[in-house]
Amino acid sequence: MDMNMEIGVLLAYGFALLALYVIGYLFLVPLKFLLKLLINSILGGVGILLVNLIGGIWGFHLALNVFSAIIVGVLGVPGIALLGILNYFIL
């Protein structure tokens, strides 16, 4: 075999491995983001349930739905405060 052919094959394998790595990385990053958003939204729903349990004593409650859980999941404790303020002024 010619030495140039072997280098060409080696470069082709190297390029294929690099392309495979890039494609795998592009699929992995959105999955990590979606998993983090899902976990934070579940924790946000639990936070809203705790606010409803404690606020039920004084007649205060927040609506628990997908959108409010995502807001609390993304913003955290300020998200609960935001929903409380919106609940107070709108309702």
Side-chain angles (χ1 to χ4, degrees), residues 15 27 82:
F15 181 73
F27 282 119
L82 173 71

Side-chain angles (χ1 to χ4, degrees), residues 7-70:
I7 291 175
V9 170
L10 184 62
L11 288 175
Y13 278 122
F15 181 73
L17 284 175
L18 180 67
L20 186 63
Y21 173 77
V22 169
I23 291 171
Y25 183 76
L26 290 175
F27 282 119
L28 185 62
V29 170
L31 288 177
K32 283 183 181 179
F33 174 73
L34 289 175
L35 183 64
K36 184 178 179 182
L37 182 64
L38 177 69
I39 291 171
N40 286 343
S41 297
I42 290 170
L43 291 175
V46 170
I48 292 173
L49 282 174
L50 289 174
V51 167
N52 285 341
L53 286 174
I54 295 170
I57 298 169
W58 297 288
F60 179 77
H61 72 282
L62 295 174
L64 178 59
N65 54 37
V66 174
F67 300 112
S68 62
I70 290 175

